[in-house]
């Protein structure tokens, strides 16, 4: 009878009978409904630099919202992630996991207590424990995590002449775990190597170097083969050694060939650097055209805006004392639910609106876990659950726990931002329909949206803040 009563109470959470659910819930808790914690039978494999979900759930399915969920490795007190008292307990986790873990709160009501780990490192490899306590009993599941990385394409170089042949070396880096590496001839048979070195770097990834001596009329076609056994993936590069390189023909010819290789490499390097210089000059010219007013002959001057926040649009969990900064409190304020106010996402608009010209403003984004900055049509929807993108009249970049995306449609565009900008510059050209973002400290580009049509309404600054604070700067 108690088990069926518990089942009824779980179903009734979506029904008006809340009182019945409350009573039956406590009856079930007193009687300590049994549960087990279930994890994977086999180790989970993760790729370096990517993210992984360590699966874990309660059986039978039951809500874990009011339980303690602790993920740890070798020591119970040194936890990777802790959920307790209905929220994540940040600040006490192992330093190497800080800002790198996320909990699947949406699945808690169904017993899903899986853990997401971002930006996987070799040091993350090992054993993890998923521990759950309901206040009366506790259970746990232990699982393994294996880490792997597929490194760079092998680079083959002709090193020097040795008695009887030429020494050729193959190098490759960024592998994990230690890779398998060997030389093969044109028939795919292994060639004995002269030397082999595998060494871990500071980041834990392996670099490998293997050499072989090639003799005249033997093994002149060869390839360097590097393989990650855990992922069953490999990379291979090939080379052909011409007879001209061998001293039995003419030592001076060998020297000339080596010189030609060096000269050719030098020419290729100079062409590449010249191309990079041209790209850099074009990029700097573009930045000057964006940031500095009056450089273009036909473009209108760039207006450096002093943006302020519109409190009538601010979500009730946002607080701004001075109209220049806004922070997320997590507490719902008693504010009028006017049509202009955002009621689901923690957004706020700027007071200023633009219909023409070029405009620039800067935003200090700090170290918040979730923020977005950009522009939006004045008619952007404010009520209900909305997936903000260009289709909804929003052009913005979003940062969540160090991962950056542009809110494009139909899907967000991941951004390769290798640094954490502290100030983001927003550039708006109403006439050309351009919206782009720069690191305001370095001028490095972050993202440029495809041209859009801004006719028929005003465009206003748009901000989203959760678990953090942003501040508007006056452009100098």
């Amino acid at each position: 009878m108690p088990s069926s009563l518990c089942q009824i109470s779980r179903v009734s959470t979506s029904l008006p009978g809340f009182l019945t659910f409350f009573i039956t819930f406590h009856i079930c808790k007193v009687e300590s409904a049994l549960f087990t914690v279930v994890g994977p039978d086999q180790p989970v494999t993760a790729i370096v630099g990517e993210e992984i979900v360590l699966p874990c759930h309660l059986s039978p399915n039951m809500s874990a919202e009011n339980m303690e969920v602790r993920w740890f490795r070798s020591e119970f007190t040194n936890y990777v992630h802790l959920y307790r008292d209905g929220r994540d307990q940040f600040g006490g986790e192992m330093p190497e996991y800080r800002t790198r873990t996320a909990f699947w709160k949406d699945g808690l009501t169904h017993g899903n207590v899986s853990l997401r780990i971002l930006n996987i490192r070799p040091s993350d490899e090992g054993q993890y424990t998923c521990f759950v306590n309901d206040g009366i009993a506790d259970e746990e599941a232990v699982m393994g995590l294996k880490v792997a990385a597929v490194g760079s394409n092998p680079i083959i170089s002709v090193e020097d002449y040795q008695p009887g042949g030429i020494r050729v070396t193959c190098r490759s880096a960024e592998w994990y775990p230690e890779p398998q590496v060997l030389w093969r001839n044109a028939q795919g048979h292994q060639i004995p190597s002269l030397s082999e070195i595998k060494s871990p770097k500071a980041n834990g990834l392996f670099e490998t170097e293997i050499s072989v001596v090639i003799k005249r009329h033997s093994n002149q076609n060869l390839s360097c083969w590097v393989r990650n056994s855990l992922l069953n993936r490999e990379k291979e590069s090939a080379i052909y050694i011409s007879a001209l390189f061998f001293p039995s023909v003419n030592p001076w010819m060998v020297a000339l060939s080596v010189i030609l290789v060096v000269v050719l490499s030098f020419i290729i390097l100079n062409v590449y650097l010249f191309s990079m210089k041209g790209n850099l000059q074009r990029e700097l010219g573009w930045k000057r055209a964006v940031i500095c007013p009056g450089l273009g002959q036909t473009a209108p001057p760039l207006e450096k805006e002093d943006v302020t926040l519109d409190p009538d649009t601010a979500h009730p969990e946002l607080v701004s004392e001075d109209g220049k900064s806004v922070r997320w409190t997590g507490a719902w304020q008693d504010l009028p639910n006017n049509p202009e106010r955002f009621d689901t996402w923690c957004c706020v608009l700027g007071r200023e609106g633009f219909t023409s010209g070029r405009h620039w403003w800067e935003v200090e984004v700090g170290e918040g876990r979730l923020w977005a900055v950009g522009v939006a049509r004045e008619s952007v929807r404010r009520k209900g659950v909305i997936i903000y993108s260009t289709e909804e009249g929003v052009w913005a970049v979003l940062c969540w726990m160090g991962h950056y995306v542009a809110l494009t449609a139909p899907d967000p565009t991941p951004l390769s931002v290798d640094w954490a900008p502290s100030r983001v510059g927003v550039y708006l050209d109403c006439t050309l329909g351009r919206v782009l973002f720069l690191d305001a400290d370095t001028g490095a580009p972050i993202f440029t949206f495809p041209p859009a049509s801004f006719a028929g309404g005003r465009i206003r600054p748009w901000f989203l803040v959760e678990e953090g604070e942003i501040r508007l700067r006056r452009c100098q």
Side-chain angles (χ1 to χ4, degrees), residues 370-440:
L370 175 60
W371 56 261
V373 299
V375 299
R377 295 188 187 276
E378 192 168 49
S379 59
V380 65
R381 289 195 292 165
R382 323 287 174 88
K383 309 297 184 182
V385 178
I386 303 166
I387 305 300
Y388 286 116
S389 68
T390 52
E391 288 184 349
E392 289 290 340
V394 172
W395 293 260
V397 293
L398 179 143
C399 172
W400 180 70
M401 297 181 66
H403 291 260
Y404 296 81
V405 297
L407 301 183
T408 52
D411 299 309
T413 300
L415 303 179
S416 298
V417 180
D418 298 327
W419 72 101
S422 61
R423 289 191 300 139
V424 175
V426 184
Y427 170 78
L428 168 67
D429 189 328
C430 295
T431 305
L432 298 180
R434 297 181 66 198
V435 181
L436 58 90
F437 302 86
L438 301 175
D439 184 329

Side-chain angles (χ1 to χ4, degrees), residues 28-73:
C28 293
K29 192 167 184 67
V30 170
E31 295 181 0
S32 184
L34 299 177
F35 67 91
T36 57
V37 179
V38 181
D41 296 331
Q42 301 295 325
V44 179
T45 301
I47 307 298
V48 171
E50 298 184 4
E51 60 184 56
I52 191 66
V53 174
L54 297 180
C56 186
H57 69 274
L58 305 184
S59 179
N61 291 343
M62 64 177 64
S63 176
E65 290 180 296
N66 297 313
M67 299 183 184
E68 175 185 321
V69 181
R70 180 187 297 258
W71 282 87
F72 63 94
R73 298 194 65 175

